[in-house]
Amino acid sequence: MIELSWQTYMLRLRHVFRISQGARSEAPLILTSIRYGGKEGVGEGSLPPLYGESWDTATQFLQKVNLSQFKDPFDTETILSYVDQVAPGNQAVKTSIDMALHDLVGKLLNIPVHAYFGLAAKRLPTSMTIGIDTPEEMARKAQKYASFKYLKIKLGTDNDKAMIEAIRKVAGQPLFIDANQGWKDREKALDFIHWLKEQNTVFIEQPMLKTNKQDNAWLTERSPLPIIGDEGVQRLADLREASSIYHGINIKLMKSTGLREGFKMAVTAKALGMKVMLGCMSETSCAISAAAQLGALADWVDLDGNLDVENDPYQGPRIENGELVLAPLPGVGVEGRPVSQTK
Ligand code: MG
């Protein structure tokens, strides 16, 4: 019998993380477990309040899910289609089930998830993210992260240029820029993108409001750098329209409902001639390692969400010379067990 269980978990960050839409120093998680045939798969949903899910919504959702009706854990397509129709939305908690199921299947087959999807394990030169702060503090972080191959800089404020200038005094790595919908004027944004190109920037993520499709598309037509949709692209069904708005997409397992649809999104985006980025939220090593299993499909990788975590219950992926290296383990690639937190 396929058995599903879960627990809530509060992830604590070492530093406050600020973007143009808000700040956080912790993230509520739902940690799931699926047992079958003497093996246990583990999964995770990250539930920052900004995205509308919570311990309450996740728990209510999981209480409606009945996996014991399925006899064959390898029938992931049927099981996950069922999970998806239990209720609309609820992406992160759906992800926690998808992840645990793929971890389980990998462990039953004794292969890593990347091999299950027909992909190689690649060393991934991940960016390290610097949240919004004073230019001095952002420059200090940039120095601290000198070993990373890319820095991802959160912008979308009135002080963006000073931040980049301060960082550029101390760090020369190529930059990923993420405005998190923070830019308001498309002409100004385009001018600034031209300037950012001269500062060795690789791409621009979500420059303007996700609902302002017209101005995001206007920028994509004119920008000298690729424009990547993040908040504006959640799931596979969004890709058809997204291909006329952005050059590429930021796939996050917490948006896509997990590995299965994340894989389909990457493959479809490539077929549509779009760039593929793999991103994350504040997560444990479990979700980071799971996303990294799809790394061979990505043009760029931003999988650093576990690196500033104080209470990561899992071990697996590590950073070597600024590259994320998967642990040689079956499933999503982690070991360890969360200690239950008493509230
Ligand atoms: Mg983003």
Side-chain angles (χ1 to χ4, degrees):
M1 195 165 83
I2 301 174
E3 288 173 271
L4 171 68
S5 60
W6 63 86
Q7 70 176 80
T8 58
Y9 193 83
M10 187 58 89
L11 195 70
R12 291 191 307 273
L13 308 182
R14 290 193 192 98
H15 304 95
V16 176
F17 181 62
R18 187 170 288 106
I19 66 171
S20 65
Q21 309 294 318
R24 61 175 173 262
S25 59
E26 52 184 25
L29 306 182
I30 194 87
L31 300 178
T32 49
S33 156
I34 300 181
R35 286 192 173 79
Y36 177 88
K39 301 280 185 190
E40 179 189 21
V42 293
E44 164 181 3
S46 181
L47 314 161
L50 195 59
Y51 301 96
E53 291 182 69
S54 64
W55 282 340
D56 280 347
T57 63
T59 304
Q60 282 160 21
F61 184 88
L62 288 164
Q63 280 164 350
K64 290 184 207 148
V65 173
N66 172 18
L67 295 189
S68 67
Q69 64 182 300
F70 298 103
K71 302 284 171 273
D72 178 5
F74 295 103
D75 189 7
T76 51
E77 190 73 35
T78 304
I79 296 171
L80 295 172
S81 298
Y82 154 76
V83 169
D84 196 25
Q85 59 75 52
V86 167
N90 290 286
Q91 277 112 307
V93 66
K94 287 174 182 173
T95 299
S96 73
I97 299 173
D98 165 288
M99 200 181 296
L101 186 62
H102 283 94
D103 189 43
L104 172 73
V105 164
K107 285 168 175 168
L108 288 168
L109 295 169
N110 199 27
I111 58 170
V113 164
H114 65 79
Y116 171 83
F117 281 107
L119 303 170
K122 272 181 68 182
R123 296 174 69 97
L124 304 172
T126 178
S127 55
M128 184 66 187
T129 302
I130 299 179
I132 290 172
D133 211 317
T134 61
E136 298 72 35
E137 180 58 20
M138 291 172 78
R140 199 189 62 76
K141 290 223 171 87
Q143 272 178 311
K144 188 171 139 192
Y145 301 148
S147 63
F148 286 87
K149 310 264 190 273
Y150 301 95
L151 295 175
K152 171 159 154 167
I153 315 297
K154 294 290 195 177
L155 296 180
T157 72
D158 296 334
N159 209 19
D160 287 356
K161 196 167 181 183
M163 292 170 178
I164 299 299
E165 282 170 343
I167 288 165
R168 272 302 174 235
K169 282 189 189 140
V170 297
Q173 299 107 304
L175 304 178
F176 300 169
I177 298 293
D178 189 355
N180 286 111
Q181 317 182 68
W183 294 342
K184 307 290 178 231
D185 179 315
R186 67 185 191 182
E187 307 271 356
K188 272 191 205 159
L190 183 59
D191 283 349
F192 192 50
I193 292 170
H194 278 282
W195 181 79
L196 284 170
K197 181 166 193 270
E198 284 158 29
Q199 308 301 314
N200 193 16
T201 295
V202 181
F203 62 77
I204 309 291
E205 215 181 305
Q206 202 64 57
M208 305 188 69
L209 270 183
K210 63 179 180 183
T211 47
N212 187 352
K213 295 170 184 173
Q214 205 182 349
D215 283 350
N216 281 307
W218 185 91
L219 278 177
T220 293
E221 239 170 74
R222 292 161 180 80
S223 169
L225 295 172
I227 305 289
I228 308 297
D230 178 6
E231 288 88 338
V233 188
Q234 305 283 314
R235 299 192 55 177
L236 182 61
D238 300 330
L239 268 188
R240 187 195 302 265
E241 187 184 33
S243 68
S244 65
I245 303 175
Y246 305 103
H247 293 116
I249 55 167
N250 183 352
I251 299 173
K252 294 177 180 167
L253 298 186
M254 298 303 155
K255 298 187 296 179
S256 72
T257 69
L259 285 154
R260 191 161 195 87
E261 192 160 319
F263 173 82
K264 291 178 186 174
M265 287 178 78
V267 170
T268 307
K270 283 172 172 295
L272 291 167
M274 300 179 82
K275 293 287 188 188
V276 171
M277 175 190 173
L278 274 179
C280 63
M281 314 273 228
S282 297
E283 303 168 348
T284 76
S285 296
C286 178
I288 293 296
S289 188
Q293 300 285 337
L294 301 180
L297 291 168
D299 295 288
W300 303 297
V301 169
D302 173 40
L303 292 177
D304 61 353
N306 61 331
L307 299 180
D308 196 40
V309 167
E310 202 175 74
N311 59 341
D312 189 341
Y314 300 105
Q315 305 89 45
R318 56 186 203 284
I319 300 288
E320 267 179 28
N321 293 324
E323 292 178 321
L324 191 160
V325 182
L326 286 168
L329 293 168
V332 301
V334 290
E335 298 172 311
R337 176 166 292 276
V339 178
S340 75
Q341 293 173 328
T342 44
K343 293 189 282 289

